[in-house]
Amino acid sequence: MSVLDGKQVAEKIQGKLRVEIERLKTERAIVPGLTVILVGADPASLSYVNSKGRLAEKLGIHSTQVKLPEAALAPDVIQAIVAANDDPQVHAILVQMPLPKHLDSWKILDHIRPEKDVDCFHPFNQGLILQNRASLFPCTPAGILEILDHNEIDVSGMNSVVIGRSFLVGKPMATMLSNRNATVTLCHSKTVRLDEISQAADLVVAAIGRPGSITADMVKPGVVLIDVGINHIETEADFARLCQPSQYEGFKKKGYAITGDIHFQALAKASRYTPVPGGVGPLTVTMLMHNTVELCKRSLSVTRNEK
Ligand SMILES: NC(=O)c1ccc[n+]([C@@H]2O[C@H](COP(=O)([O-])OP(=O)(O)OC[C@H]3O[C@@H](n4cnc5c(N)ncnc54)[C@H](OP(=O)(O)O)[C@@H]3O)[C@@H](O)[C@H]2O)c1
């Protein structure tokens, strides 16, 4: 059993990005620019937005945040998107999900221009992924492929089960694994006999948002486990059921612990697994920076071609 260390992979990518960003600045006089739009004050979303801002600053990316109140209406959010679309210093736009319930996410996200769509929300970009013609991918599944590549895990022919079918994680992940010749089953809350399906898997990607959902009896020995879930554990009883004893000191100090969707007893059966925290999470934010730099470079080639 060995840990697939996401922090290590993220640091390697960040090192390359620093060099590229510096080169763009000195040779092309351009600074990659990222705008993150946050609607409302959900503490988890706010903390993700802040960590994205901090990493952008650390790497030399120009990052701006637009914070709108919880009660903002669709035209307010669309106006912020249009302003970022029209700003030549912004190469990448991210609307932090989830949006408040009164807003129709698709109607809003459709306004992000495909060439500034850093998390590949736009139907044009999702279509390219489906057709296996994309060169930019949603940050979380892109990060997972980076972890697999770094650790020389070839998914071709692997019986792979993706659990969770969100358009942010599960669906693109299933498509991207299929594009790499994995045999993919995409599961969700209505899947019948999930345990039997997951028991047969060589690779399980869990993106559910329910702590400890994948239990030891649901996986076979030697499986590769990728845990996308980020869950806050706040009570002693939940901690005892769902967290490793080694997390206890941090739990007492902070008053909460973070755990994934895969139970630690299932992780013990794996040949390799991503931990939570320190697995997929560091890659998601790093791939956001990677995609921002890519979109910035693309804007240069568009400008050159137009001349
Ligand atoms: N590590 C990272 O960087 C990162 C990035 C993104 C998200 N996340 C975390 O990953 C988790 C999933 O995120 P998301 O945005 O994909 O969530 P989401 O939009 O809420 O989707 C959850 C998916 O899980 C499925 N599901 C729910 N209960 C299930 C069950 N009992 N059995 C099987 N499937 C079940 C749902 O099925 P239905 O479609 O049938 O409802 C849905 O497809 C969350 O904890 C989130 O915080 C982490």
Side-chain angles (χ1 to χ4, degrees):
M1 173 179 71
S2 71
V3 174
L4 301 168
D5 183 347
K7 275 194 219 151
Q8 197 192 355
V9 184
E11 275 163 20
K12 193 184 98 183
I13 297 169
Q14 287 170 22
K16 284 189 195 160
L17 286 177
R18 266 202 199 91
V19 175
E20 261 186 281
I21 292 164
E22 194 50 39
R23 197 175 292 152
L24 283 166
K25 281 181 191 165
T26 53
E27 293 177 11
R28 309 299 304 268
I30 191 165
V31 180
L34 166 70
T35 284
V36 179
I37 298 170
L38 173 68
V39 186
D42 171 61
S45 294
L46 199 60
S47 131
Y48 295 144
V49 168
N50 288 339
S51 77
K52 286 164 185 172
R54 279 196 302 275
L55 182 59
E57 197 180 325
K58 195 172 126 194
L59 296 181
I61 287 173
H62 178 65
S63 138
T64 49
Q65 297 175 357
V66 180
K67 290 183 177 154
L68 297 172
E70 179 82 23
L73 298 174
D76 305 322
V77 191
I78 292 167
Q79 193 180 25
I81 293 173
V82 170
N85 276 338
D86 292 342
D87 184 343
Q89 290 188 325
V90 174
H91 306 103
I93 303 170
L94 181 87
V95 175
Q96 183 67 40
M97 301 302 284
L99 286 170
K101 288 204 168 35
H102 66 277
L103 295 171
D104 180 335
S105 301
W106 287 124
K107 279 196 182 148
I108 287 171
L109 296 173
D110 280 353
H111 288 268
I112 302 175
R113 268 196 212 135
E115 62 271 24
K116 295 196 176 190
D117 172 28
V118 74
D119 218 358
C120 305
F121 286 135
H122 196 281
F124 177 78
N125 290 325
Q126 296 212 348
L128 288 179
I129 296 168
L130 204 59
Q131 294 181 350
N132 200 9
R133 296 198 295 146
S135 53
L136 206 75
F137 301 93
C139 300
T140 302
I144 292 171
L145 291 190
E146 291 288 342
I147 293 177
L148 295 173
D149 286 345
H150 178 85
N151 290 283
E152 297 179 350
I153 298 171
D154 179 5
V155 299
S156 177
M158 263 195 180
N159 186 5
S160 307
V161 172
V162 179
I163 310 172
R165 57 176 164 180
S166 70
F167 70 92
L168 248 186
V169 188
K171 273 189 187 157
M173 182 81 263
T175 307
M176 288 155 69
L177 288 171
S178 166
N179 289 343
R180 287 188 168 207
N181 300 320
T183 304
V184 184
T185 308
L186 179 57
C187 300
H188 45 78
S189 68
K190 309 289 184 293
T191 298
V192 177
R193 305 299 312 181
L194 176 62
D195 51 348
E196 283 174 14
I197 297 168
S198 65
Q199 272 160 14
D202 306 312
L203 169 72
V204 174
V205 180
I208 304 167
R210 286 167 188 258
S213 298
I214 308 304
T215 49
D217 57 323
M218 294 172 71
V219 298
K220 70 178 178 187
V223 64
V224 176
L225 294 176
I226 306 293
D227 196 346
V228 182
I230 300 177
N231 306 292
H232 275 71
I233 301 300
E234 281 161 9
T235 68
E236 288 272 353
D238 283 345
F239 183 90
R241 204 164 46 85
L242 298 163
C243 299
Q244 311 242 30
S246 59
Q247 289 179 274
Y248 193 67
E249 208 185 306
F251 171 67
K252 288 306 281 180
K253 207 187 278 175
K254 289 190 270 181
Y256 68 93
I258 302 281
T259 193
D261 291 340
I262 304 180
H263 196 273
F264 65 87
Q265 285 164 354
L267 299 178
K269 286 175 80 176
S271 57
R272 316 177 94 181
Y273 72 91
T274 57
V276 177
V280 176
L283 264 303
T284 296
V285 62
T286 299
M287 295 315 287
L288 177 65
M289 305 305 143
H290 167 273
N291 285 2
T292 300
V293 172
E294 279 307 306
L295 291 176
C296 172
K297 289 192 315 202
R298 281 188 194 179
S299 78
L300 284 173
S301 59
V302 169
T303 314
R304 198 174 51 234
N305 291 340
E306 279 171 352
K307 277 182 186 163

